[in-house]
Amino acid sequence: MGSLTRWARAEWGPLYGTVRGPLRRPRPWAMPMTTAAVLLTALLQFAQNRPWGFRLVQSLGAVRAEDPLWLSLLRTPLSLFVPALDLPVWGALAQILLVFGIAELCLGWWRTLLIAYLATLAGTLYARLGITLGAHAPFGLPWTDAQVVDTGPSAAVVGLAVFVAWRHGAYATTGAVTVAMVAEVLLKENLAGKEHLAALMAVGSLCLAVAVRHRPCRLLQRRPPGSRAGSGSGLPPIQS
């Protein structure tokens, strides 16, 4: 039991310490962007299940690969907060509250939105490429997927979870999320699963770029022998 506790502290200790600080401060709005995202998602879910709101939500936030690219790019930011009609809305709300909330506390609201959009955009663009390749190509998709409405926060959640875990040295968690996404595609090959892999690749490239950018700084700032090493990923802290 002791070894498991030590492993948990080593894996999630830096992340827990980062999240705990802002939550202990005496301010009511620790996660303003996450709160707004949850409320927006709930409002869009309410609207798209009403006769007067369905067409409006579809026109503003429904992304399909068969649509013109410019139209998909305009709709992609809002599509992140439009829950899928065939899935329970509480799942999307829980994902946003937990993962977006932790990311906002660790990275700040604008970095969280930027990474979320990068992951979602990667999935959207991959869908077009996959349909162009065709169902028989290794990374291709059937033409019928061009008509699938592609909405929801899942790709953004995957991207944020991987980046935040990697940024705070939780490498086992990063690997577990990656393995789970690969297993999803192997067990049930569909558009959503492959878009999650595209989001992983995009965020993984971002992690690599951040690591390469800060590597010279770490080499120049090596501690002298006998000094204590820092915890986490070894990258400079992100200022919110």
Side-chain angles (χ1 to χ4, degrees):
M1 193 66 179
S3 59
L4 182 60
T5 301
R6 287 192 296 271
W7 176 86
R9 287 176 178 174
E11 177 72 8
W12 298 307
L15 178 59
Y16 173 75
T18 303
V19 171
R20 184 185 179 188
L23 289 178
R24 294 184 65 182
R25 295 172 189 166
R27 59 177 182 173
W29 294 99
M31 303 179 295
M33 185 275 295
T34 300
T35 302
V38 170
L39 294 176
L40 176 60
T41 303
L43 177 62
L44 291 172
Q45 171 69 6
F46 175 80
Q48 72 177 349
N49 282 281
R50 297 296 182 274
W52 53 265
F54 176 78
R55 186 176 296 276
L56 175 64
V57 174
Q58 292 289 302
S59 298
L60 296 177
V63 175
R64 299 178 181 83
E66 67 178 2
D67 294 333
L69 179 59
W70 66 268
L71 183 59
S72 294
L73 293 177
L74 285 177
R75 292 175 174 175
T76 296
L78 187 63
S79 73
L80 202 158
F81 303 107
V82 178
L85 287 171
D86 58 339
L87 296 175
V89 68
W90 62 262
L93 295 176
Q95 289 177 10
I96 294 174
L97 181 61
L98 179 62
V99 179
F100 275 63
I102 292 175
E104 184 176 3
L105 293 173
C106 294
L107 308 175
W109 68 268
W110 71 268
R111 289 187 181 90
T112 299
L113 283 179
L114 182 63
I115 295 172
Y117 180 71
L118 171 66
T120 302
L121 182 62
T124 298
L125 296 179
Y126 158 73
R128 294 175 173 272
L129 175 62
I131 291 168
T132 301
L133 294 174
H136 301 292
F139 298 100
L141 294 168
W143 65 269
T144 52
D145 282 347
Q147 302 171 351
V148 175
V149 177
D150 179 23
T151 60
S154 58
V157 165
V158 169
L160 285 171
V162 166
F163 186 86
V164 171
W166 170 83
R167 186 63 180 72
H168 290 80
Y171 301 122
T173 303
T174 303
V177 174
T178 303
V179 170
M181 295 302 101
V182 173
E184 177 188 13
V185 172
L186 294 177
L187 294 175
K188 187 179 181 181
E189 189 173 352
N190 56 14
L191 175 62
K194 291 187 175 181
E195 285 191 344
H196 294 165
L197 290 183
L200 276 175
M201 293 180 65
V203 174
S205 300
L206 176 62
C207 293
L208 180 61
V210 172
V212 170
R213 177 186 175 187
H214 290 293
R215 185 176 180 181
C217 298
R218 296 203 304 274
L219 291 176
L220 291 174
Q221 298 174 359
R222 282 184 175 177
R223 297 176 180 270
S227 62
R228 295 179 60 185
S231 60
S233 64
L235 296 176
I238 292 180
Q239 301 295 330
S240 301

